[in-house]
Amino acid sequence: MFKDLNSNKKAIEFLQKELNFERESGTYLFYGVDRELLKKFAKAFAKSLNCSNYRDDFCDVCESCIRIESETHGDLEILDDITGIKIEKIRELAFKDSTTSYEGKRKIYIIRDVEKLRKESANALLKMIEEPNSGSFFILTSTGLNVLPTIKSRSILVNILQENAQEIGVTQEEYKFFLGKSKDIEDYKRVGTIDLNEGCSFERIGHNIKNWIDTGEFQYKVEIYKSIRDFLNTKDYLTTIDKLYFVDEIVSSISDREFIKDILGYTISLIGNRSKNLEKLLEIKNMGRSSINLKNLLVTFYTNI
Ligand SMILES: [Zn+2]
């Protein structure tokens, strides 16, 4: 329920007002740095729009709420592709939108990472939100406001702020370790037995990545973070060979660009302004978008820290 969300009271009040208007259709752009928190709020809003017992808050127990939570609701569609939603997916959505509502209330489309939409996908989406069918609601999410102006201008903007340590119920130290990311922190609290002070050698990064991919167990994700932390703590004593070994371990365990960008992002956030080369490192990280060879990118990055 809204009242269980510990942060963003202002955004919640705003959404409650929106719900009271009982609009026929609408497009909302939820933006903020915490990608998973955006999804959480998008789902909360989706539940509110379709809840059978809505009274200033969704109930979280009716069939509609439960099925939206488990993402099995017939009138809910979530498009999720961190590399940018493909045009075919938007077309399928348009087709679905033109047919009648399956479960009778509102159709809700959560479209994530709209800042990454390519031009043709964005234009296809634009067509839908320009003249929305009655009962259709679009909840777009984006980690920044660098969204196509034509989409932005047709959306109701809702800023979802990152939760602070107190709201999320952890110490500053724990918060910093996870860079304030709500999903990671929730997983950390759920597991409950992870010791963040315990170290993990940078040499084990490949092993940790493999375990994380194979098992999906959160403790291995934490071990990856720890290996990066160890690399940064010891970097002044490491030889070039050590640094190349670290890179080799990463690239031989994974080839997913988004995953590697997350590793670079975590590294940059941990060093913060301690590095004289911060700008250069950010520039190298952003090269990850192009087709540049990943190993070269990582070598350049980790030998410049
Ligand atoms: Zn409900």
Side-chain angles (χ1 to χ4, degrees):
M1 296 171 79
F2 278 139
K3 68 177 173 61
D4 301 320
L5 298 168
N6 297 322
S7 63
N8 288 286
K9 297 288 173 234
K10 253 172 119 178
I12 291 172
E13 272 172 34
F14 177 77
L15 293 175
Q16 285 168 324
K17 275 187 199 147
E18 280 296 310
L19 288 154
N20 288 339
F21 288 142
E22 301 200 357
R23 293 183 192 275
E24 270 192 14
S25 60
T27 302
Y28 295 82
L29 175 59
F30 287 25
Y31 67 98
V33 292
D34 191 331
R35 187 172 178 270
E36 294 308 317
L37 193 64
L38 295 173
K39 186 176 180 192
K40 195 172 178 180
F41 273 80
K43 279 172 82 172
F45 190 48
K47 287 177 192 172
S48 307
L49 285 164
N50 267 346
C51 177
S52 318
N53 309 313
Y54 184 83
R55 250 175 231 103
D56 292 325
D57 205 341
F58 56 98
C59 72
D60 241 348
V61 292
C62 72
E63 201 188 336
S64 175
C65 281
I66 289 170
R67 290 173 65 191
I68 288 176
E69 181 54 40
S70 61
E71 300 176 13
T72 55
H73 196 291
D75 290 335
L76 169 74
E77 201 68 48
I78 301 180
L79 294 191
D80 188 352
D81 181 347
I82 200 161
T83 61
I85 312 280
K86 308 287 175 289
I87 178 99
E88 296 76 32
K89 292 284 169 198
I90 306 268
R91 286 196 184 122
E92 275 172 34
L93 200 74
F95 177 75
K96 214 172 169 189
D97 190 47
S98 64
T99 57
T100 50
S101 167
Y102 293 115
E103 304 199 6
K105 218 174 169 191
R106 288 156 166 160
K107 288 196 201 184
I108 297 157
Y109 308 111
I110 297 176
I111 303 175
R112 303 184 78 185
D113 308 303
V114 286
E115 79 276 23
K116 293 194 179 133
L117 285 181
R118 288 183 202 280
K119 211 175 165 193
E120 52 171 9
S121 304
N123 284 334
L125 174 65
L126 197 59
K127 264 189 207 158
M128 274 198 290
I129 63 175
E130 268 174 342
E131 286 174 35
N133 291 320
S134 177
S136 294
F137 286 80
F138 296 86
I139 309 173
L140 317 176
T141 70
S142 163
T143 52
L145 266 182
N146 51 334
V147 175
L148 215 65
T150 42
I151 289 185
K152 206 163 34 179
S153 67
R154 283 169 181 81
S155 306
I156 297 169
L157 303 185
V158 185
N159 188 9
I160 304 294
L161 302 169
Q162 187 167 33
E163 293 175 332
N164 63 36
Q166 198 186 356
E167 286 165 340
I168 214 162
V170 288
T171 64
Q172 285 295 341
E173 202 187 9
E174 290 168 319
Y175 187 81
K176 272 191 199 148
F177 183 87
F178 293 110
L179 312 176
K181 287 184 179 173
S182 59
K183 176 79 169 56
D184 275 356
I185 296 176
E186 273 168 28
D187 285 341
Y188 165 71
K189 285 167 75 180
R190 184 179 44 76
V191 177
T193 51
I194 296 171
D195 182 356
L196 298 183
N197 292 319
E198 211 171 87
C200 183
S201 165
F202 75 91
E203 291 173 306
R204 290 183 62 80
I205 190 147
H207 174 84
N208 294 334
I209 293 173
K210 277 182 205 138
N211 277 339
W212 164 241
I213 295 169
D214 289 349
T215 68
E217 281 177 30
F218 185 67
Q219 71 191 72
Y220 293 117
K221 194 175 183 187
V222 175
E223 299 289 294
I224 298 172
Y225 292 152
K226 284 181 179 174
S227 293
I228 298 172
R229 181 177 66 181
D230 183 59
F231 180 90
L232 292 176
N233 287 341
T234 52
K235 69 180 169 60
D236 295 340
Y237 311 100
L238 300 181
T239 62
T240 307
I241 300 288
D242 291 331
K243 292 178 181 173
L244 293 179
Y245 176 83
F246 183 70
V247 168
D248 224 29
E249 281 294 294
I250 297 175
V251 288
S252 61
S253 328
I254 184 129
S255 58
D256 181 334
R257 293 189 98 81
E258 291 303 321
F259 193 98
I260 287 181
K261 269 163 70 186
D262 280 349
I263 290 180
L264 298 182
Y266 187 80
T267 310
I268 287 178
S269 300
L270 270 201
I271 26 173
N273 8 3
R274 276 191 290 150
S275 171
K276 279 175 260 155
N277 292 338
L278 192 61
E279 255 175 54
K280 190 171 182 189
L281 294 174
L282 279 168
E283 196 184 307
I284 300 168
K285 176 187 169 246
N286 290 335
M287 285 178 196
R289 285 189 200 129
S290 62
S291 55
I292 189 167
N293 176 287
L294 273 181
K295 186 165 182 178
N296 292 343
L297 183 92
L298 286 173
V299 168
T300 317
F301 184 89
Y302 282 104
T303 51
N304 268 291
I305 278 179

